[in-house]
């Protein structure tokens, strides 16, 4: 994106669709492991849809992989397929619970 007001670039089709974030966690008490998996679909600099996956043990650096697609529908298809696979392996969505605390504390 340019900072010049004269150069209005057309929006990429990736910008039309909301970013699909998913953060899942699993805790296996038998093996004493806690793992996390995160995925999101974001546009890259070339206007392609990019599925970004991060996974590993909670508290560790973990691994990262990017998949590039010409069409956003393909990225969403893989996103949903991977999400189903993670859920079948015991991963559950991380709930974002925001608690507003009083200012006088």
């Amino acid at each position: 994106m340019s900072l010049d007001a004269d150069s209005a670039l057309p929006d990429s089709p990736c910008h039309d669709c909301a970013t699909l974030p998913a953060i899942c966690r699993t805790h296996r008490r038998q093996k004493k492991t806690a793992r996390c998996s995160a995925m999101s679909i974001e546009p890259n600099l070339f206007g392609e849809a990019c599925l970004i996956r991060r996974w590993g043990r909670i508290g560790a650096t973990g691994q990262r992989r990017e998949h590039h697609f010409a069409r956003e529908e393909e990225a969403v298809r893989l996103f949903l397929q991977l999400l189903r696979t993670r859920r079948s392996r015991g991963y559950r969505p991380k709930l974002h619970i925001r608690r507003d605390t009083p200012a006088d504390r």
Side-chain angles (χ1 to χ4, degrees):
M1 173 186 263
S2 174
L3 297 176
D4 298 332
D6 298 297
S7 64
L9 295 174
D11 285 339
S12 163
C14 298
H15 292 289
D16 295 337
C17 181
T19 302
L20 295 173
I23 300 173
C24 299
R25 291 184 174 183
T26 183
H27 297 279
R28 295 189 178 139
R29 294 176 192 231
Q30 306 91 336
K31 296 184 179 182
K32 296 182 181 178
T33 61
R35 298 188 177 271
C36 182
S37 173
M39 295 186 292
S40 64
I41 297 176
E42 301 173 6
N44 65 8
L45 294 175
F46 303 107
E48 299 173 326
C50 184
L51 173 62
I52 301 171
R53 302 178 358 180
R54 292 178 297 275
W55 69 93
R57 293 182 69 133
I58 294 177
T61 305
Q63 298 181 30
R64 176 186 168 111
R65 182 160 184 190
E66 294 184 12
H67 303 272
H68 300 276
F69 299 94
R71 296 180 37 223
E72 192 168 8
E73 293 83 15
E74 297 169 359
V76 171
R77 188 176 303 121
L78 180 59
F79 178 92
L80 294 174
Q81 178 185 359
L82 292 169
L83 190 60
R84 280 192 295 270
T85 303
R86 290 289 182 199
R87 289 186 56 89
S88 71
R89 292 182 179 166
Y91 286 79
R92 295 294 173 246
K94 176 185 172 188
L95 300 175
H96 295 283
I97 300 174
R98 182 178 174 185
R99 297 182 183 173
D100 293 329
T101 57
D104 59 347
R105 283 189 175 175

